Amino acid sequence: AQSVTQPDIHITVSEGASLELRCNYSYGATPYLFWYVQSPGQGLQLLLKYFSGDTLVQGIKGFEAEFKRSQSSFNLRKPSVHWSDAAEYFCAVGSNDYKLSFGAGTTVTVRA
Amino acid sequence: NAGVTQTPKFQVLKTGQSMTLQCAQDMNHNSMYWYRQDPGMGLRLIYYSASEGTTDKGEVPNGYNVSRLNKREFSLRLESAAPSQTSVYFCAVGDSYSNQPQHFGDGTRLSIL
């Protein structure tokens, strides 16, 4: 069975500092991997996705993620955080079978 | 999110009442999904529809029914609401390449007393 672990429930980062959110997955084959962001009271917005090919994936809002098969990880990074990046972030794993498994989420707080 | 519209945005029900959550898309995507979001649990798939006229169970289908009447609309029905169904419900749509959700609605916040 597929599963996703986001080890950090909550991260606080200073504005302008770098951010890295961890995601570890369990999946039998080559997975599809996703990162979504959710602002309070809103739905989820897709930040980036990995299906195959280059293991470093660029997304929207200056985010990137790197797929590391040997570590079963797909960590999300941003070099310089803005106050508007405060939100909850979800990693998800699946294939092309409509059944995506989500992690429990990481809440990011940005301090001035 | 103009692409995926959910109604209502908020609802309070009594145990045993029924209601239907509506979802409509203007993105011309084939697949549609219903998720529930509970604190500390991420999102869990209730039902999905790969295309018009087809529906399948997800991870937590018990107590729910769905209907995909046309390509645009995918509804979720609670026949006899229970307090355990208090949650935030999200509809999503997905493209045909990945067969996974790409765009989400803003959610329906449902409380069952």
Side-chain angles (χ1 to χ4, degrees), chain A residues 1 5 7-8 17 33 37 47 49 55 61 70 85-87 97 107 109 111:
Chain A
T5 301
D8 303 304
L33 293 158
V37 60
L47 283 175
K49 57 192 176 186
T55 56
K61 303 186 179 187
S70 61
D85 293 321
D97 66 351
T107 299
T109 298
R111 60 184 173 215

Side-chain angles (χ1 to χ4, degrees), chain A residues 98, chain B residues 3-5 22-26 28-35 45 47-52 54-56 66-75 90-95 100-101 103:
Chain A
Y98 308 97
Chain B
V4 181
T5 303
Q22 305 286 352
C23 175
Q25 57 137 335
D26 62 5
N28 202 36
H29 282 322
N30 285 323
S31 61
M32 298 186 73
Y33 310 79
W34 277 106
Y35 289 89
L45 182 63
Y47 271 93
Y48 67 95
S49 170
S51 60
E52 179 181 350
T54 69
T55 61
D56 283 285
V66 291
S67 178
R68 180 84 182 268
L69 296 176
N70 52 57
K71 191 171 186 177
R72 289 189 64 249
E73 298 171 300
F74 188 37
S75 61
F90 288 99
C91 176
V93 302
D95 60 33
Q100 294 294 2
H103 308 279

